[in-house]
Amino acid sequence: MNSPLLGATIVSALVACGVHDVVLAPGSRNASLSLALHHADARGDLRLHVRIDERVASYTALGLAKGSGRVVAVVTTSGSAVANLAPAAMEARAAGVGLLLVTADRPAEAIGTGANQTGDQVGAFGPAIVSTVRVSSLSGDVQAWAAAVQRAHTAAAGVRTRTPGPVHLNAEFSPPLVGPVPTLDAQVAQVHGSDGVTVHEVDDAKDTVVLVGDASWTTGVEARALAELSGLPLLAEPSSNARAGDCAIAHYRLLLDSPLGGRIRRVVCFGHPTLSRPVTALLSRPDVEVIVVAERAQWGDVGSRAAAVVDRILLPDGDPHWLAAWQAADRELSGQREHGWDGHVVAAAVVASVGPDDELFFGSSQSIRDADLAPISRRPSRTWANRGLAGIDGTLSTATGVALATGHPTTVLLGDLTLQHDMGALVAPPLEPGCDIRIIVVHDDGGAIFSTLEQGAVEYEDAFERVFGTPQGADLVAVAAALGWETETVTTSDELQNALRKPVAGRQLINAPISRTGRRDAEAALRELGRSAG
Ligand SMILES: Cc1ncc(C[n+]2csc(CCOP(=O)(O)OP(=O)(O)O)c2C)c(N)n1
Ligand SMILES: [Mg+2]
């Protein structure tokens, strides 16, 4: 019975976003929306206008939006009904008028089956819209759907982009399409405009942490300064440019599973956190208030629970005992960790080897996660990673671009498969500008990261190496040497330290062979250590 809930949530969220007028063109797939709109109109939450022709409905919505200066929603059923919104959408795009085109759809698997009134309607508006948002009654919940409506409304209003226009909100409904209309009060984030001037003030900083995902240098520095100014625990990913200073907690990922992590009540989130499930879990907790400090017009909110989206934030001082408890737990964990020749040791050595005049680029696999448990830098460099989509493609090429752009010595920490994805970047065309770049390849002959995930469990053992581990048996040192790289293989911590002590000049590859065996158990042991800490 999720379709009635989805319909009621969309309508409740529209009201929460401040929508006053909705124009409805009736049909069957959008039945739950129609019933919810009728209820909302009867309650006086909004004003409903019903028109049988979608083109008339959408132009009426356009006029309502123009006349009121507010975003107006137009709601249709699936099929050709959708295309009838296109002329008004084109006009709204050209005129900069906020329209929400709410179109009901069949579930994705029905497309192409010949199911009644079913076409491929996502993308139907081409360049006429400023954004597309999708929801489905088959996945998500009230909070996630409301957050999606809020995202669509914010884009249509141009609150953060100063580009108001039509937004397509496509909603897939599965049977049963109707049922009693649920009464609910959807909560949506308070979204500030992107003027960089409005400062969000928080009354107290009790049980608050500053979390920083992948972020630019300026965002990272700002986040770190905020944490240090207020004396708050700083949970910073390796490519955040914030993982430094006394407030940074090296083992935050493990401590999120501890009783201390359970006490968090507010997260001030900068950048794009993607690295670990404990962080996703934290951002999804109903007892945690999430405030997103957004660098760009769009913002991340993986838990769909953001209470506010802001450009700037001011926090009062935190409780010194709160920070001290995190620092003590962090020290306790540092003392308990065992160090053999493994990915953690390599990542820690690489992080410690760079300084303020270097650039440090992380590949997107296990090594950046190992660096996420490395000791906090005393002399942090600028850090980079392709965490937008976390691909393992193009890493060395991107790092080369960073080296060329900055002119700084650039260190790249990546896995063997990640390097093999971008082997072409090992070629340095002789007529082209060069750079000083050093690669440390954690060579465990395959994808270590998968052994820490579900597919690494013993029941998938038979298939694991072939379809996840994928050892390639490649001699990367020989390949790099053939292409003119200075190469070195290190098999102990001391050898690695010595190799890293040399200045980064020209093109150097340090090969660090390690074993993938035992990764899963080591990760489980670390998580266990975290749970009992604090
Ligand atoms: C372009 C692209 N293809 C596939 C993936 C899925 N993927 C993520 S990690 C990984 C294996 C990486 O292995 P490696 O570079 O050796 O790093 P390790 O985990 O062993 O440290 C793969 C295939 C991806 N992220 N990006
Ligand atoms: Mg590997």
Side-chain angles (χ1 to χ4, degrees), residues 94-426:
V97 177
L99 279 189
L100 264 177
L101 315 173
V102 186
T103 62
D105 200 353
R106 293 251 175 174
E109 70 275 7
I111 294 165
T113 63
N116 182 38
Q117 217 172 312
T118 305
D120 203 348
Q121 58 196 50
V122 173
F125 299 110
I129 49 172
V130 293
S131 187
T132 302
V133 175
R134 304 168 199 206
V135 287
S136 165
S137 65
L138 293 174
S139 62
D141 54 18
V142 168
Q143 193 59 40
W145 296 330
V149 171
Q150 164 68 309
R151 221 173 262 282
H153 181 270
T154 303
V159 172
R160 297 184 61 77
T161 58
R162 295 207 291 161
T163 307
V167 170
H168 187 188
L169 175 61
N170 194 66
E172 294 176 9
F173 290 98
S174 294
L177 297 179
V178 292
V181 178
T183 305
L184 50 89
D185 184 14
Q187 302 294 313
V188 298
Q190 179 196 345
V191 180
H192 288 210
S194 194
D195 54 11
V197 176
T198 318
V199 177
H200 185 77
E201 289 195 42
V202 174
D203 291 343
D204 80 90
K206 201 170 164 349
D207 303 330
T208 298
V209 295
V210 176
L211 171 72
V212 201
D214 180 65
S216 68
W217 172 252
T218 43
T219 294
V221 168
E222 188 186 325
R224 177 182 162 193
L226 177 83
E228 290 178 354
L229 213 61
S230 306
L232 292 170
L234 174 60
L235 321 184
E237 291 189 355
S239 63
S240 64
N241 283 296
R243 200 179 156 91
D246 291 341
C247 292
I249 306 296
H251 297 95
Y252 75 90
R253 165 165 84 82
L254 306 181
L255 290 172
L256 287 178
D257 291 337
S258 74
L260 197 54
R263 280 174 47 198
I264 297 173
R265 288 294 171 270
R266 182 186 293 116
V267 177
V268 179
C269 181
F270 290 78
H272 181 203
T274 56
L275 286 187
S276 69
R277 294 185 185 184
V279 167
T280 306
L282 171 69
L283 293 171
S284 308
R285 264 169 50 184
D287 60 337
V288 170
E289 181 190 54
V290 177
I291 299 173
V292 176
V293 186
E295 194 176 11
R296 294 186 296 267
Q298 289 176 338
W299 68 95
D301 177 20
V302 284
S304 297
R305 304 207 66 88
V309 179
V310 304
D311 290 321
R312 292 270 163 83
I313 188 161
L314 269 186
L315 291 170
D317 287 348
D319 177 355
H321 296 109
W322 172 241
L323 175 61
W326 279 86
Q327 289 167 326
D330 201 25
R331 276 194 300 276
E332 179 191 329
L333 280 182
S334 300
Q336 288 173 350
R337 283 185 63 193
E338 290 168 12
H339 300 289
W341 173 244
D342 61 13
H344 292 283
V345 164
V346 176
V350 170
V351 168
S353 74
V354 293
D357 300 330
D358 295 295
E359 310 293 328
L360 175 57
F361 202 107
F362 294 98
S364 283
S365 190
Q366 190 57 48
S367 42
I368 189 170
R369 291 174 171 83
D370 290 347
D372 202 21
L373 291 175
I376 299 304
S377 316
R378 293 286 142 231
R379 298 174 63 246
S381 66
R382 288 209 293 187
T383 57
W384 309 86
N386 281 343
R387 295 304 302 174
L389 295 179
I392 60 166
D393 47 345
T395 304
L396 182 55
S397 304
T398 316
T400 304
V402 167
L404 287 166
T406 60
H408 294 160
T410 300
T411 294
V412 193
L413 174 66
L414 41 54
D416 51 299
L417 298 186
T418 303
L419 180 56
Q420 288 175 71
H421 257 264
D422 203 18
M423 213 87 102
L426 285 171

Side-chain angles (χ1 to χ4, degrees), residues 415-417 442 444-448:
D416 51 299
L417 298 186
V442 181
D444 48 18
D445 201 14

